[in-house]
Amino acid sequence: MFITILAFIFVLGILILVHELGHFIVAKMVGVKVEEFSIGFPPRIFSFKKGETKYSIGALIFGGYVKMLGEETESASPRAFNQQKPGKRFAISVAGVIMNFVLAWIILSIGLSIGMTPPVTPSDEVPFSQATKGQVYIVEFLDGSSAQKAGVKLGDQIVKLTKGTDEVTPTTPEQVTDFSGRNKGSEITIKINRNNVPVEQTILLPATEAPLGIGMVNQSIVKVKWYAAPYVALLETWGIVKVIFMFLGSFFSQLFHTGTLSDQVGGPVAIYNLSGDAARAGIGVLFQFIAMLSINLGLINILPIPALDGGRALFIILEKIFGKRILKENIENIIHNIGFAVLMLLVLAVTVKDIIRLFHK
C-alpha cells in the first residue's frame, strides 16, 4: 500500500504540476499578473510568496490552479487576464493541454531511445527500431482453461515453462503453444511475472487441442535509434490520441443514450490502483503510464465543456469570430462554475462506481 500511495502522489503531482506550469509560464510571458500558483486545492498545507505570486500546495491533490488577476472578477488593470487580447487569453487557456502533450512526447522519446514497449504500435512495426526482448502476455482465457484454474491471471507474463528436461523461455506465443502441445496430459511448471513479482504454478495439462486454454499477445521491448526516437514518439503520441478520442466518443454516446457510465471509465480510485500496479511493474511501465495519462488529461481538458480549458478557449474563439464577447464576464463565469459542479458530480459518480467495483472483485 505504501508503494501505491507514493506512486499515486508522484503520478498526480507530475501531471498537475506540468499542466498548471503551462498556464503559469504563458501568463507570465504575456505579462498577466499571477496571484497564486497552486498544486492541489485548499485547505493549504504549505505556501510561500515570492514576488507578486503566492505558491501553495493544497490538501486535495486532485487538481490545481493558476489564479490570475481579472480571471474570475473584472479588473481594469492592464495586467489583468480580462484586459488581454483574445490571442493572449487563448494561448494561456490551452497552454496546460499543450504541456501535457509535450510531457508525454518527452517521456516516450526517452523511453523508446533506451528501450520500452510501444503503447500503440505493434513491436515489429515500429520504424527505426530493433526488438530487444520478446515478452508473452496472457490476454484471454478459454472456457475451462487449465491455466486459469491453476491461478494464472490475465496480464501475467509467461517467463518460463518446464517439464522435466524440456524447458522453454518463450519470446513468442508460438513457443508456448508448441511446448503445451507436446506435453498434453502432463504436469508442467509455469513461471510467470505478475506486476514485477515472480510467481510459479503447477498445471496439469488436459489432452485437448489447446491444453493451457489461453490467448496470448507478443509485445517486445523495443529500442529506437536515438535520433529517430522523438519522431517515433510523436507517432505513438498521435496513436494514443486517436485511441482516446474513439473511447471518448463511445463514452459520451453511452452516457447520453443510456445514462450509464462505461465500465472502462476510471476516476481517482482507479488511478490510485493503476499507479501502484505500474510502480510495481517497474520504472519504465510507471513512466509509460504517466505519458498515457498525461495525453488523456490533455484531451479531456481541451473538450469544449464549461470549466475545462477547452470551454474557456471556445468562448474566446467565439469572441474572435463575432468581434466582441458573446456573454458578459460574470455570466460566463457562472456558466463555468455550473460546468465545474457538473464535472465534480460526474467524478463523484465514477469514484463511487470504482469503489463498488473494488469491493466486488
Side-chain angles (χ1 to χ4, degrees), residues 97-306:
V97 169
I98 292 173
M99 285 291 281
N100 282 129
F101 288 120
V102 170
L103 172 66
W105 174 69
I106 290 173
I107 289 175
L108 294 176
S109 295
I110 296 172
L112 288 166
S113 66
I114 63 178
M116 73 180 296
T117 302
V120 178
T121 308
S123 301
D124 57 356
E125 296 179 16
V126 176
F128 306 102
S129 67
Q130 179 180 1
T132 59
K133 184 181 178 184
Q135 296 180 327
V136 180
Y137 289 88
I138 298 171
V139 295
E140 182 184 9
F141 288 122
L142 306 180
D143 289 338
S145 168
S146 58
Q148 186 178 27
K149 290 176 181 177
V152 177
K153 299 183 181 298
L154 293 178
D156 285 348
Q157 178 196 350
I158 301 176
V159 177
K160 185 179 289 186
L161 296 161
T162 307
K163 169 62 174 72
T165 57
D166 189 1
E167 186 177 283
V168 171
T169 302
T171 56
T172 65
E174 289 74 21
Q175 291 175 308
V176 177
T177 302
D178 291 343
F179 177 89
S180 61
R182 64 176 176 264
N183 288 291
K184 290 179 181 180
S186 301
E187 190 174 77
I188 68 166
T189 300
I190 180 171
K191 183 181 288 186
I192 57 179
N193 187 343
R194 181 178 298 156
N195 296 327
N196 219 31
V197 176
V199 178
E200 199 169 277
Q201 304 280 5
T202 299
I203 304 174
L204 178 60
L205 296 180
T208 57
E209 185 176 345
L212 277 171
I214 58 174
M216 297 166 284
V217 64
N218 177 18
Q219 196 61 282
S220 301
I221 294 177
V222 168
K223 186 175 182 179
V224 177
K225 295 177 180 178
W226 66 268
Y227 57 82
Y231 167 71
V232 177
L234 194 63
L235 296 179
E236 287 299 295
T237 301
W238 175 239
I240 296 170
V241 167
K242 290 192 289 185
V243 170
I244 295 175
F245 257 130
M246 289 172 59
F247 171 76
L248 287 175
S250 174
F251 165 74
F252 284 113
S253 175
Q254 179 175 332
L255 181 64
F256 290 122
H257 282 88
T258 68
T260 60
L261 295 171
S262 169
D263 289 336
Q264 294 178 303
V265 175
V269 174
I271 294 173
Y272 172 81
N273 289 322
L274 291 172
S275 296
D277 292 342
R280 283 185 286 272
I283 191 71
V285 176
L286 178 62
F287 274 93
Q288 184 175 345
F289 175 65
I290 291 173
M292 297 185 71
L293 205 57
S294 187
I295 294 173
N296 206 321
L297 177 64
L299 286 178
I300 291 174
N301 259 287
I302 204 61
L303 293 175
I305 298 173

Side-chain angles (χ1 to χ4, degrees), residues 83-93 316-317 319-320:
Q83 295 296 326
Q84 307 306 308
K85 292 182 178 180
K88 291 183 178 180
R89 284 186 277 120
F90 182 84
I92 294 172
S93 298
I316 296 170
I317 291 171
E319 176 187 342
K320 186 68 176 177

